[in-house]
Amino acid sequence: MELAVCYDHSGIGLAWSVFLDIMGVFLIMAPLAAARLVAISRANRTAQLQLA
């Protein structure tokens, strides 16, 4: 018995799906990148204080 596929295979549906996937990746990676930048800036600040 075959199951009916009720999914729109048009280009707009595919583009929307890809857009949502990319946005999901950015939403996950943005806080990690921000935390990394804060850690790097703190390390640079500490190194500058030690030199002075």
Side-chain angles (χ1 to χ4, degrees):
M1 183 162 86
E2 292 182 26
L3 299 174
V5 177
C6 299
Y7 182 77
D8 182 17
H9 293 287
S10 69
I12 293 174
L14 178 63
W16 184 248
S17 177
V18 170
F19 173 75
L20 289 179
D21 288 343
I22 292 172
M23 286 302 296
V25 169
F26 281 139
L27 287 174
I28 292 170
M29 296 301 290
L32 298 174
R36 180 71 179 141
L37 288 174
V38 168
I40 290 171
S41 70
R42 284 184 180 166
N44 286 342
R45 210 177 299 146
T46 304
Q48 289 174 354
L49 290 174
Q50 289 175 353
L51 290 176

